[in-house]
Amino acid sequence: MIVFIVTAEHTYTVKEIVLRSPGPRVDLMTYDEAFKLTSAARHTYVFADLDRLSRRRLESAAKLYRELKAAGVRVLNDPARIPTRYGMLRRLYRQGYNAFNSWRVEE
């Protein structure tokens, strides 16, 4: 099974995948639920909505990633190493993949 970890307010972002996955079973878990885990099932976990997390919650997600990895659980992305949406859009523009750029408000 693949488990997407998402913010409680944005579960809709993966709801269609959960309902219509033609392949492996897909489920979702909120960060609040994930942070309360005392043990994790041997599923594949994907951290989503990282750009919607506060710095403190992002650090907690990175800690959870390390704990899951240490327990031998498969995790597909490290919250401490994943680029932000802004960073990804900037990188895609600079590399010529996107015809548009992005700017922060203060820029």
Side-chain angles (χ1 to χ4, degrees):
M1 178 178 348
I2 299 171
V3 178
F4 284 88
I5 305 174
V6 297
T7 57
E9 303 81 19
H10 296 94
T11 57
Y12 66 90
T13 60
V14 294
K15 198 60 117 176
E16 284 299 312
I17 297 170
V18 170
L19 296 174
R20 300 181 192 278
S21 173
R25 185 164 170 241
V26 178
D27 204 354
L28 63 87
M29 173 185 299
T30 67
Y31 280 98
D32 293 331
E33 293 168 334
F35 293 153
K36 292 177 185 172
L37 287 176
T38 56
S39 65
R42 297 263 179 218
H43 301 310
T44 298
Y45 294 86
V46 179
F47 287 86
D49 284 345
L50 295 171
D51 56 321
R52 292 184 169 118
L53 297 179
S54 67
R55 176 170 292 290
R56 182 181 59 79
R57 289 175 68 80
L58 186 58
E59 289 170 356
S60 296
K63 180 178 182 248
L64 177 59
Y65 168 88
R66 291 188 303 272
E67 291 169 353
L68 290 170
K69 286 295 268 190
V73 175
R74 186 171 184 202
V75 188
L76 296 184
N77 58 329
D78 182 351
R81 301 189 68 202
I82 212 82
T84 63
R85 182 173 295 179
Y86 167 78
M88 179 61 74
L89 289 172
R90 274 287 169 111
R91 183 178 302 157
L92 291 171
Y93 174 76
R94 288 183 186 134
Q95 293 177 351
Y97 293 105
N98 283 354
F100 59 90
N101 202 350
S102 62
W103 291 268
R104 294 191 186 279
V105 171
E106 60 271 14
E107 291 179 298

